[in-house]
């Protein structure tokens, strides 16, 4: 298999099919052979409209059946499809406009309702001329004449561009990953081998076809191995998550998939409305990827569904990215979920991580993501590009025939992602432990406070321990301080009620993070929404940029008097107020070789006199003339010292 054309040949199987689930009681079925026939007919209509091999066409289609037909019409005709996530939000429409401009205002496959939404959006932004330009290039599938001659199928070459996969994140300067037939066929062959796919499998996915997991993993891959598959409309899963496994049970699906947030979304409804009669015994793999994976959530999900026949070891935690044509590493099918416990703070590139066999309060649990899929190489390097040893943190790089050669740009001088020797920097930090890849987080998402590196999802995990704070409703980010001299930690929390009702959450989050990490939260900001990509990844940078632009200043001004020193009563039965987090942060800056908590006795923790003197000096700088050195002897824990200082202040 050298090109995608070979995946859907003229003699494609009639006994294998795609089921499109558009609503609870609305579905359609299309055999592989019938898909080929429809695609060739549609190609004829596109060619009659002047589209030719080498042209690009944006696919902004919510109807999965129309998307698949249009995608294959383009591929068979040598037209380069550019899938984009359809949606009515300003972010979706801004991205459509940005990609339209980036692609030189080429053709756009779009449905009438989406076109109307785009017109209204452009008018509200004062860009009606852009809307007219896009409408002039619109290809509306329902209006195409399919009654003419079938299309002329083009012979593809392995090195030819197959399609452009845009990342699900930035709308300002979207990145279009160039994927050739060779890239895709190499990775599809690797996926089939590593996950032991066969024509006996039956897959069900609710991932959007604009996303690489949905399009490559659960459509192209399934066609290639001759497996029937069902594609559930993403919005249907969002509204009715319980239908997902009901359909899997009815169809006897063997392979499922979801990012981490999808399991959380399903369980929330499942725990409210437990289902009976599910039969998930046929499921052999449930792919989990596309965002940081929570080991605890994996266990909750499999345990909750175990009474319905779901195998304990069916959870399949994987790693991949669009630049790799999807898959990078897989565990062994049927293997138990494996994890690594390591210290949250102090992680630095080129340094060996501190691990433990079991968790405790100072450690976080990360999921092992298996070994490289066949044909793909992985290496971990330091900042200078030198390879690191096992359990040493570094930049994750990959190499193989599946790896893209670059990003789309109007200018031929646009930078390519490859490094010397064909290696690509994924942008992720991680390590190899006992032969398996472990991802610790995105390099660009690192929060650097007091010279130490932290990952935002660790702060978010702690915040979620606070009552009323759910997953995916809190985001942590490092932002420039008002002075511009340092980076500070800010937490953004979804809140749509009165501002006074936000105060207990803000105080509790500050306390929890200070107690567990020793880091002071600069601000806890109420926000109306937490921006996410189409695959559910938090867009922390969007919130950080808005914060730095001052967009949240009015809310913060309202909060300031409510969060002033002395207003925090502390946890039940404790005192110390907002002084305690500040003292914890001071000690964390001064004493970097150990964890000091609120109840740590400074006189009994083997600190030398110099360290104690430095702690006093740092406290004096932040709280001028509030304590003497001898006060540290009388109040040797930070919670005692905080109570003493607040009492003296009063």
């Amino acid at each position: 298999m050298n090109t995608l054309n070979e995946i859907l040949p003229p003699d494609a199987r009639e006994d294998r099919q795609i089921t499109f689930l558009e609503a609870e009681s609305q579905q359609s079925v299309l055999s592989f052979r019938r898909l080929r026939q429809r695609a060739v007919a549609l190609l004829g209509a596109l060619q009659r409209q002047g589209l030719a091999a080498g042209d690009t066409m944006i696919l902004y289609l919510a109807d999965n059946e129309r998307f698949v037909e249009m995608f294959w019409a383009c591929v068979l005709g040598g037209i380069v499809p550019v899938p984009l996530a359809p949606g009515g939000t300003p972010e979706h429409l801004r991205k459509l406009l940005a990609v339209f401009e980036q692609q030189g205002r080429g053709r756009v496959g779009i449905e009438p309702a989406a076109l109307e939404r785009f017109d209204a959006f452009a008018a509200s932004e004062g860009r009606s001329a852009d809307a007219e330009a896009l409408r002039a290039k619109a290809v509306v599938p329902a209006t195409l004449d399919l009654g003419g001659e079938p299309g002329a199928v083009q012979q593809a070459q392995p090195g030819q561009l197959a399609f452009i996969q845009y990342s699900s994140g930035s709308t300002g300067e979207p990145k279009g990953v160039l994927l050739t037939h060779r890239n895709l066929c190499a990775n599809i062959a690797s996926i089939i081998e590593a996950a032991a796919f066969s024509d006996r499998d039956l897959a069900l996915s609710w991932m959007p076809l604009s996303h690489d997991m949905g399009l490559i993993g659960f459509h192209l891959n399934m066609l290639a191995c001759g497996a029937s598959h069902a594609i559930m409309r993403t919005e249907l899963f969002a509204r009715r998550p319980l239908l997902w496994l009901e359909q899997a049970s009815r169809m006897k699906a063997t392979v499922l998939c979801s990012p981490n947030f999808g399991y959380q979304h399903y369980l929330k409804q499942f725990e409210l409305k437990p289902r009976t009669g599910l039969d998930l015994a046929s499921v052999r793999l449930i792919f989990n990827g596309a965002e940081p994976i929570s080991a605890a959530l994996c266990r909750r999900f499999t345990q909750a569904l175990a009474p319905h026949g779901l195998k304990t070891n069916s959870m399949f935690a994987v790693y991949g990215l669009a630049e790799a044509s999807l898959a990078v590493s897989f565990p062994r099918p049927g293997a138990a979920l494996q994890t690594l416990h390591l210290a949250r703070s102090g992680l630095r590139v080129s340094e060996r991580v501190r691990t433990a066999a079991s968790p405790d309060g100072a450690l976080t649990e990360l999921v092992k993501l298996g070994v490289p899929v066949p044909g793909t190489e992985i290496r971990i390097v330091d900042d200078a590009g030198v390879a690191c040893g096992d359990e040493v943190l570094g930049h994750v790089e990959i190499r193989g025939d599946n790896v893209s050669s670059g990003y789309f740009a109007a200018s031929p001088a646009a930078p390519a992602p490859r490094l010397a020797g064909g290696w690509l920097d994924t942008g992720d930090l991680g390590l190899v432990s006992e032969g398996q890849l472990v991802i610790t987080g995105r390099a660009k998402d690192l929060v650097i406070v007091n010279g130490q590196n932290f990952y935002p999802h660790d702060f978010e995990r702690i915040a979620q321990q606070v009552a009323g704070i759910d997953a995916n409703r809190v985001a942590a980010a490092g932002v420039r301080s008002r002075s511009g001299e340092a980076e500070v930690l800010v937490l953004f929390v979804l809140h749509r009620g009165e501002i006074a009702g936000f105060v207990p959450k803000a105080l509790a989050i500050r306390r929890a993070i200070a107690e567990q990490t020793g880091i002071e939260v600069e601000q806890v900001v109420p926000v109306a929404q937490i921006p996410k990509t189409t695959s559910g990844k938090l867009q922390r940078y969007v919130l950080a940029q808005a914060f730095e632009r001052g967009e949240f200043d009015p809310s913060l001004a309202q909060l300031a008097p409510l969060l002033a020193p002395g207003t925090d009563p502390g946890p039940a039965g404790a005192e110390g107020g907002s002084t305690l987090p500040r003292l914890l942060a001071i000690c964390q800056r001064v004493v970097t070789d150990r964890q000091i908590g609120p109840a740590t006795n400074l006189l009994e923790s083997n600190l030398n006199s110099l360290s104690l003197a430095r702690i006093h000096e740092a406290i004096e700088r932040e709280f001028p003339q509030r304590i003497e050195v001898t006060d540290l002897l009388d109040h040797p824990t930070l919670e005692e010292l905080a109570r003493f200082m607040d009492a003296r202040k009063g």
Side-chain angles (χ1 to χ4, degrees):
M1 181 177 66
N2 298 302
T3 70
L4 293 187
N5 298 49
E6 297 172 49
I7 292 176
L8 194 66
D11 60 347
R13 295 179 68 161
E14 182 66 33
D15 64 339
R16 291 295 183 269
Q17 60 194 27
I18 310 168
T19 301
F20 298 95
L21 304 171
E22 293 296 307
E24 183 174 3
S25 57
Q26 178 187 344
Q27 67 179 49
S28 58
V29 178
L30 193 62
S31 72
F32 290 4
R33 185 173 300 175
R34 182 61 179 149
L35 170 59
R36 163 84 184 202
Q37 293 167 350
R38 285 195 187 179
V40 172
L42 185 54
L43 173 60
L46 296 179
Q47 289 172 337
R48 286 190 289 277
Q49 288 213 354
L51 279 151
D55 291 343
T56 62
M57 186 161 76
I58 295 170
L59 301 184
Y60 197 79
L61 301 168
D63 184 305
N64 286 326
E65 188 170 356
R66 289 195 186 281
F67 177 98
V68 167
E69 291 173 353
M70 188 72 80
F71 175 86
W72 278 106
C74 290
V75 169
L76 295 175
I79 301 162
V80 180
V82 184
L84 283 187
T89 70
E91 286 298 302
H92 284 97
L93 297 168
R94 285 191 190 99
K95 186 169 184 176
L96 170 60
L97 184 54
V99 174
F100 178 61
E101 294 290 347
Q102 198 179 90
Q103 293 289 329
R105 296 193 170 194
R107 306 304 290 271
V108 181
I110 190 169
E111 291 152 342
L115 201 52
E116 293 298 326
R117 285 195 298 270
F118 182 77
D119 284 344
F121 160 78
S124 70
E125 299 264 312
R127 303 187 65 171
S128 294
D130 294 320
E132 291 177 13
L134 189 143
R135 183 174 280 276
K137 295 297 182 73
V139 177
V140 180
T143 66
L144 293 173
D145 176 17
L146 303 179
E149 289 294 315
V153 175
Q154 304 297 304
Q155 181 63 45
Q157 298 300 317
Q160 183 179 325
L161 185 61
F163 66 90
I164 301 174
Q165 178 70 58
Y166 272 84
S167 62
S168 57
S170 172
T171 58
E173 295 183 10
K175 289 197 306 182
V177 180
L178 302 175
L179 296 177
T180 65
H181 288 268
R182 178 182 292 110
N183 294 149
L184 290 157
C185 290
N187 201 232
I188 288 169
S190 299
I191 291 170
I192 292 172
E193 180 179 347
F197 278 112
S198 75
D199 61 359
R200 295 184 300 277
D201 277 308
L202 176 58
L204 169 61
S205 168
W206 57 262
M207 293 292 289
L209 289 168
S210 57
H211 190 276
D212 50 6
M213 184 185 285
L215 178 56
I216 302 171
F218 279 77
H219 175 56
L220 299 183
N221 178 70
M222 300 306 161
L223 282 172
C225 68
S228 292
H229 51 289
I231 303 172
M232 183 179 188
R233 192 165 182 142
T234 304
E235 292 78 5
L236 180 59
F237 171 78
R239 295 194 315 270
R240 302 286 305 280
L242 298 181
L243 286 176
W244 175 40
L245 294 190
E246 289 175 7
Q247 291 289 345
S249 173
R250 183 185 62 79
M251 299 167 57
K252 305 300 180 190
T254 64
V255 185
L256 305 172
C257 71
S258 175
N260 201 69
F261 80 92
Y263 299 107
Q264 175 94 18
H265 183 52
Y266 179 87
L267 283 177
K268 184 175 289 187
Q269 290 299 311
F270 183 78
E271 289 164 357
L272 290 173
K273 303 174 183 177
R275 286 301 193 251
T276 59
L278 292 179
D279 180 5
L280 303 175
S282 60
V283 176
R284 67 179 187 90
L285 294 177
I286 308 178
F287 280 74
N288 190 339
E291 65 172 2
I293 298 170
S294 165
L297 182 57
C298 290
R299 288 190 288 266
R300 273 184 58 212
F301 184 85
T302 53
Q303 288 167 7
L305 278 304
H308 301 276
L310 187 67
K311 300 176 185 68
T312 303
N313 294 344
S314 59
M315 188 62 71
F316 200 59
V318 300
Y319 173 67
L321 60 156
E323 288 85 346
S325 304
L326 183 58
V328 172
S329 69
F330 282 5
R332 179 176 56 82
L337 188 75
Q338 297 183 48
T339 63
L340 183 72
H341 297 92
L342 53 81
R344 289 191 185 99
S345 61
L347 293 173
R348 292 182 177 84
V349 170
S350 77
E351 292 187 7
R352 189 176 183 84
V353 298
R354 291 182 288 122
T355 64
S358 60
D360 64 31
L363 301 177
T364 191
E365 185 178 22
L366 298 176
V367 175
K368 293 184 178 181
L369 302 170
V371 300
V373 297
T376 300
E377 297 175 78
I378 299 175
R379 71 175 184 179
I380 309 297
V381 301
D382 63 17
D383 291 333
V386 177
C388 300
D390 283 1
E391 298 195 346
V392 173
L393 184 70
H395 302 273
V396 180
E397 295 183 354
I398 59 174
R399 181 170 67 177
D401 285 344
N402 59 313
V403 178
S404 168
S405 63
Y407 300 108
F408 176 87
S411 167
R418 295 230 185 183
L419 302 176
W423 291 98
L424 176 139
D425 183 354
T426 64
D428 288 316
L429 295 176
L431 58 125
V432 172
S433 175
E434 298 180 334
Q436 294 200 61
L437 178 65
V438 177
I439 298 295
T440 56
R442 295 290 293 171
K444 67 179 182 180
D445 281 343
L446 276 178
V447 179
I448 305 173
V449 182
N450 305 329
Q452 295 190 75
N453 297 338
F454 298 88
Y455 289 103
H457 46 263
D458 287 325
F459 293 121
E460 291 156 6
R461 190 180 302 115
I462 295 170
Q464 288 164 25
Q465 298 169 8
V466 173
I469 306 296
D470 295 329
N472 288 311
R473 296 193 174 188
V474 58
V479 303
R480 290 189 300 272
S481 63
R482 295 302 189 196
S483 66
E485 296 175 353
E487 187 168 85
V488 295
L489 174 63
V490 174
L491 271 287
F492 302 90
V493 180
L494 186 68
H495 181 77
R496 293 176 179 147
E498 293 293 328
I499 198 74
F502 183 72
V503 172
K505 292 181 183 178
L507 295 173
I509 288 171
R510 280 181 162 174
R511 258 195 319 272
I513 289 176
E515 290 172 359
Q516 296 188 42
T517 70
I519 296 299
E520 182 178 5
V521 179
E522 179 77 6
Q523 296 282 2
V524 183
V525 185
V527 295
Q529 66 175 5
I530 300 289
K532 302 183 184 74
T533 68
T534 54
S535 62
K537 296 177 184 176
L538 296 179
Q539 292 182 305
R540 300 177 182 92
Y541 74 95
V542 174
L543 293 167
Q545 290 173 353
F547 182 90
E548 291 174 356
R549 289 194 299 266
E551 292 182 17
F552 302 116
D553 285 356
S555 296
L556 294 175
Q558 286 183 273
L559 271 175
L562 302 174
L563 294 173
T567 61
D568 181 4
E575 299 177 27
S578 59
T579 303
L580 178 57
R582 297 168 68 184
L583 293 179
L584 284 163
I586 288 169
C587 284
Q588 186 68 32
R589 290 196 299 268
V590 175
V591 182
T592 59
D593 62 345
R594 70 196 70 188
Q595 194 78 21
I596 295 178
T600 301
N601 190 311
L602 300 178
L603 305 181
E604 297 175 359
S605 57
N606 296 321
L607 290 174
N608 58 39
S609 58
L610 180 59
S611 294
L612 287 171
R614 287 174 174 168
I615 289 173
H616 173 257
E617 290 172 2
I619 294 174
E620 176 64 22
R621 284 195 298 271
E622 194 157 336
F623 298 93
Q625 300 180 349
R626 290 276 291 278
I627 67 167
E628 305 290 341
V629 174
T630 53
D631 293 328
L632 287 174
L633 305 178
D634 295 333
H635 310 283
T637 71
L638 295 184
E639 58 187 5
E640 291 175 2
L641 187 61
R643 283 196 293 268
F644 168 75
M645 292 170 65
D646 285 338
R648 289 192 64 178
K649 177 181 61 180

